[in-house]
């Protein structure tokens, strides 16, 4: 083969070109190391990923199919065809997709190429969870009570579930035999729920991994998830690279991962590591792998084998941070035939690292996945170096921040793939320092266009229990009150600041010109361009009407788009003669006939249900003041600013999200204010437009209340429909199963009703907000 010299005397030559059979951040991650090592990369992509970041990063890229993974990233034959045509000498599978497909690994080798991962035989022994448990059982490794046999009949699964304690009220866990990431996984707490959970888990497992088989085991509600990184070469060398804790999870997927694991001392670390190495060597393992254990949350030395992931893990960067190693480089060197770069005594753990997975999702809605366009994306700057000597990693000088992502601003987060936007990884000299650094870095994250879990992650870090290392798999439900607080409105000065930034962005001062109706934002619609403003003209506050003009309406909304507090009636104007027009007078107005309720303003956003005062200023006290923008955001969608409000100086950033092309004329502009490490969402409109919208709403309500139709919360595919036209359903009854973001989501009836008509059938691919079920007026 045409290979590069390794650069090390007596060692195997290195690949000249590799194909990365994956997408997103892991594909980009592999390409960065390959580029540093002078290795050319080939990308493969599906039609929706034509402009994806990994496609742009690769030296060359080739389309291998359509939207569905089964027609693209899971098509091993097409991947191999691209590898042959491009002259790639090895294939890196990343994680997910084909990474744990033993047949694909064998096919790569049969084609005369190198698979950058373990041999197919090792995958069959350990990559299949049921086979791995049988192997560990034979080796005497402790296992939780469970079933991992070949008989997948419902009768056998039900009997085994009862044997594991389901009939006595102990929960059990169904888990796909292949794959990971929470796909094909269900917790069952009642016998009556078992059949439905089995069917759903089997469908999801088949769609994600091409194999519907399940295993079953007793579920521990509050356990520790501790895993060990192992590495083996083809010459018999094997080491462990310490442990990670991945206990904080939602929907069976990890949210925060850290290394080393809290509360694990040297003796337990060596015991876990030795057990993991023995397991890997027993199956002739080669490459990077992870042996996962579940442990008693109060006694982590009481641990049980859970599974082995025969691939590089999503959370591998925290191991890189504490070991000072590049694990992808190790993968490439081992696959090229080199021995492990270091022996066990040469490996040193130093410092503490934590990784936060940034997802497009709605945490308060049971972490429902989201999709959409990243209209605005700003991430913390990479600082420090992952690869650093132990003495540096253990000191303040070794602090580091790293972002691994497969997206840039303007990209779409597709419904067809995992909704993870990025991974944010930090390192500090100790756990407390790492927690502080991650909290600060999350405060620098800015996303507009779809909901994320960033604020939720900050709240996790703020809990005393996480700070104390008291983590377990039931952490999120146990601390739900702190992690999902009731929405609270911003302080009045910040509401005013949002309006001032909006004015500066869409109506920058034009010296010597009348700015009454200007909209320098170009494509950005201004509420002052509405029909209502054209009728009222310069009397609207902010448009030249001054202190006595018709007020603006400001409504804060939470992460879900629900109203946070009442609607503010604000008069704001540029102070006459102020330097460059950046000083604003403002007054929060009193009530009147045209005041808006919180529910009215929120409904204009499209989500709200909160109650608020129908008169007055939504509960806001009358007050007035002056605001000065020392550094103002630019025209258009905004930017960084510095403001002085009274005796408070505020530095931050603003991004203005205009109404979408399908939104109604009464839809407000959403002002996203990033201050004090938080994202505030404030919807801004003019009074007359909202008054007209309320009048129309009142007229519709007078005709009689109707059951709201069910619409798709996101783009996806209809998997199952439980009802038919004419069926009477009760509140909470399942209506439709929607497959989106590689997972199934059940839509339920919100009230007792009679089904009028179905507008979608199994197999249909539906858009967000697509009409699915309507109800009769009975």
């Amino acid at each position: 083969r045409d290979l590069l010299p390794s650069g090390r005397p007596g060692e195997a030559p290195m690949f000249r070109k590799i194909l990365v059979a994956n997408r997103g951040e892991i594909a980009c991650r592999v390409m960065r190391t390959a580029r540093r090592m002078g290795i050319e990369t080939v990308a493969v992509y599906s039609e929706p990923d034509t402009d994806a970041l990994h496609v742009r990063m690769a030296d060359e890229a080739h389309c291998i199919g359509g939207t569905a993974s089964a027609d693209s990233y899971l098509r091993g034959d097409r991947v191999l065809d691209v590898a042959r045509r491009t002259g790639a000498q090895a294939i890196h599978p990343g994680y997910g997709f084909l990474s744990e497909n033993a047949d694909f690994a064998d096919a790569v080798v049969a084609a005369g190429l190198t698979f950058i991962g373990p041999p197919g035989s090792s995958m069959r022994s350990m990559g299949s969870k049921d086979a791995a448990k049988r192997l560990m059982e034979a080796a005497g490794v402790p296992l939780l009570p469970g079933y991992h046999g070949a008989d997948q009949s419902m009768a056998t699964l039900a009997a085994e579930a009862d044997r594991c304690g389901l009939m006595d009220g102990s929960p059990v866990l169904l888990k796909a035999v292949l794959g990971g990431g929470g796909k094909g996984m269900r917790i069952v707490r009642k016998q009556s729920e078992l059949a439905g959970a089995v069917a759903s888990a089997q469908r999801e497992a088949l769609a994600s991994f091409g194999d519907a088989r399940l295993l079953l085991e007793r579920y521990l509600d509050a356990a520790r998830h501790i895993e060990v990184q192992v590495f083996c070469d083809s010459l018999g060398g094997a080491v462990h690279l310490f442990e990670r804790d991945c206990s904080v999870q939602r929907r069976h997927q990890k949210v925060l991962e850290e290394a080393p694991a809290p509360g694990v001392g040297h003796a337990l670390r060596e015991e876990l590591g030795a057990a993991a190495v023995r397991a890997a060597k027993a199956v002739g393992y080669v490459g990077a792998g992870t042996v996962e254990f579940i442990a008693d949350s109060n006694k982590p030395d009481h641990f049980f084998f859970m599974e082995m992931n025969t691939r590089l893990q999503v959370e591998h960067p925290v191991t890189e941070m504490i070991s000072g190693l590049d694990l992808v480089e190790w993968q490439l060197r081992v696959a090229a035939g080199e021995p492990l770069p270091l022996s066990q005594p040469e490996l040193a753990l130093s410092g503490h690292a934590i990784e936060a997975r940034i997802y497009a999702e709605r945490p308060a809605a049971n972490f429902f996945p989201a999709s959409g366009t990243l209209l605005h994306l700003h991430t913390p700057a990479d600082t420090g170096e992952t690869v650093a000597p132990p003495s540096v990693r253990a000191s303040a000088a070794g602090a580091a921040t790293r972002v691994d992502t497969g997206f840039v601003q303007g990209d779409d987060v597709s419904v067809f793939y995992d909704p993870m936007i990025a991974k944010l990884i930090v390192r500090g000299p100790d756990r407390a320092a790492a927690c502080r650094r991650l909290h600060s870095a999350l405060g620098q994250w800015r996303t507009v266009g779809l909901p994320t879990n960033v604020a939720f992650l900050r709240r996790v870090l703020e809990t005393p229990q996480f700070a104390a290392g008291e983590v377990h798999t039931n952490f999120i439900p146990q601390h739900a009150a702190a992690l999902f607080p009731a929405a609270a409105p911003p302080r009045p000065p910040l509401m005013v600041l949002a309006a001032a930034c909006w004015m500066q962005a869409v109506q920058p001062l034009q010296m010597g010109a009348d700015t009454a109706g200007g909209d320098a934002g170009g494509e950005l619609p201004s509420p002052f361009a509405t029909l209502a403003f054209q009728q009222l003209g310069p009397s609207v506050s902010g448009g030249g009407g001054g202190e006595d003009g018709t007020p603006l309406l400001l409504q804060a909304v939470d992460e879900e788009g629900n109203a946070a507090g009442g609607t503010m009636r604000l008069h704001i104007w540029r102070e006459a003669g102020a330097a460059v027009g950046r000083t604003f007078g403002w007054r929060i107005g009193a009530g009147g006939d045209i005041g808006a309720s919180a529910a009215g303003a929120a409904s204009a956003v499209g989500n709200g249900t909160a109650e608020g005062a129908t008169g007055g200023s939504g509960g806001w006290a009358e007050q007035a003041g002056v605001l000065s923008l020392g550094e103002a955001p630019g025209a258009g969608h905004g930017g960084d600013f510095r403001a002085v409000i009274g005796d408070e100086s505020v530095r931050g950033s603003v991004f203005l999200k205009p109404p979408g092309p399908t939104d109604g004329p009464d839809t407000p502009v959403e002002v996203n204010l990033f201050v004090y490490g938080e994202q505030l969402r404030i919807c801004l409109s003019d009074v007359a437009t909202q008054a007209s919208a309320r009048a129309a709403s009142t007229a519709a309500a007078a005709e009689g209340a109707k059951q709201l139709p069910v619409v798709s919360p996101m783009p996806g595919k209809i998997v199952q429909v439980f009802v038919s036209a004419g069926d009477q359903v009760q509140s909470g009854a399942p209506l439709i199963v929607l497959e989106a973001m590689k997972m199934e989501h059940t839509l339920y009836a919100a009230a007792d009703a009679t089904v009028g008509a179905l507008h979608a059938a199994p197999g249909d691919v539906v858009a967000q907000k697509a009409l699915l079920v309507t109800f009769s007026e009975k």
Side-chain angles (χ1 to χ4, degrees), residues 106-168:
D106 290 344
V108 172
V109 174
L113 307 176
T114 299
F115 182 75
I116 304 174
S121 58
S122 296
M123 288 190 191
R124 291 184 180 93
S125 297
M126 297 296 280
S128 175
K129 296 177 180 65
D130 59 342
K133 285 184 179 290
R134 287 194 293 270
L135 183 66
M136 293 298 100
E137 189 174 46
V141 178
L143 297 177
L144 284 169
Y147 172 73
H148 37 81
D151 185 352
Q152 295 283 298
S153 67
M154 191 61 232
T156 297
L157 293 176
E160 293 295 334
D162 286 342
R163 187 178 64 84
C164 290
L166 184 62
M167 64 186 301
D168 299 320

Side-chain angles (χ1 to χ4, degrees), residues 626-772:
V626 175
L627 179 151
S628 175
L629 287 173
E631 299 171 17
H637 291 288
D640 297 336
F641 64 82
R642 183 178 63 81
V644 177
I645 313 174
D647 58 0
E648 181 178 4
S649 179
V650 181
R651 182 178 293 277
S653 178
V654 65
F655 184 89
L656 276 62
K657 178 184 175 184
T662 61
D663 290 325
D666 59 323
T667 303
V669 167
E670 180 182 291
V671 181
N672 290 266
L673 205 61
F674 299 91
V675 291
Y676 300 121
E678 297 182 356
Q679 179 175 359
L680 307 178
R681 301 167 182 84
I682 300 167
C683 296
L684 184 151
S685 185
D686 65 272
V687 164
T689 299
Q690 292 304 319
S692 175
R694 285 196 313 281
S697 176
T698 301
E703 297 179 0
K706 299 179 181 179
Q707 166 69 46
L708 292 177
V710 173
V711 299
S712 176
M714 63 190 306
K717 180 181 179 181
I718 302 299
V719 174
Q720 188 172 6
V721 177
F722 294 103
V723 296
S724 302
D727 287 355
Q728 292 186 350
V729 296
Q730 295 182 330
S731 175
L735 301 174
I736 283 180
V737 177
L738 176 74
E739 181 185 296
M741 297 294 187
K742 298 167 66 176
M743 299 187 75
E744 289 189 358
H745 312 275
T746 303
L747 307 182
Y748 299 92
D752 296 350
T754 300
V755 176
L758 296 174
H759 301 270
D764 289 354
V765 176
V766 297
Q768 185 174 14
K769 297 184 180 179
L771 185 63
L772 303 180

Side-chain angles (χ1 to χ4, degrees), residues 525-687:
S526 162
F528 293 162
T530 63
L531 176 62
F533 173 77
Q534 294 168 13
Q535 294 170 342
L536 293 172
S539 65
V540 175
S541 174
E547 183 177 4
D548 298 322
T550 306
L552 302 177
L553 297 181
L554 278 71
Q555 175 65 61
V557 296
D558 64 11
E559 298 163 330
E560 289 292 298
N562 298 316
T567 301
M568 174 183 286
R569 295 159 49 82
L570 176 70
H571 300 259
I572 184 167
W573 61 93
R574 297 184 191 274
E575 289 283 271
V580 297
R582 294 179 180 171
T583 299
F584 301 85
W586 59 271
R587 176 171 59 85
I588 298 175
D593 293 338
I594 56 175
S597 69
S603 65
V605 185
N607 294 288
T609 57
E611 295 293 336
T614 56
S617 192
W620 299 94
E622 292 187 49
Q623 52 188 293
V626 175
L627 179 151
S628 175
L629 287 173
E631 299 171 17
H637 291 288
D640 297 336
F641 64 82
R642 183 178 63 81
V644 177
I645 313 174
D647 58 0
E648 181 178 4
S649 179
V650 181
R651 182 178 293 277
S653 178
V654 65
F655 184 89
L656 276 62
K657 178 184 175 184
T662 61
D663 290 325
D666 59 323
T667 303
V669 167
E670 180 182 291
V671 181
N672 290 266
L673 205 61
F674 299 91
V675 291
Y676 300 121
E678 297 182 356
Q679 179 175 359
L680 307 178
R681 301 167 182 84
I682 300 167
C683 296
L684 184 151
S685 185
D686 65 272
V687 164

Side-chain angles (χ1 to χ4, degrees), residues 48-76:
D49 278 344
T50 299
D51 296 317
L53 183 59
H54 79 281
V55 175
R56 288 173 267 172
M57 281 188 64
D59 294 295
E60 54 184 299
H62 298 265
C63 183
I64 56 171
T67 296
S69 298
D71 190 40
S72 52
Y73 294 107
L74 290 174
R75 287 294 300 267

Side-chain angles (χ1 to χ4, degrees), residues 10 44 49 62 140 159-160 212 374 382 390 397 425 442 472 484 627 635 691 693 774:
V44 293
D49 278 344
H62 298 265
E160 293 295 334
L374 291 166
D382 283 7
I425 313 103
L442 286 167
H472 49 77
F484 304 101
L627 179 151
T774 52

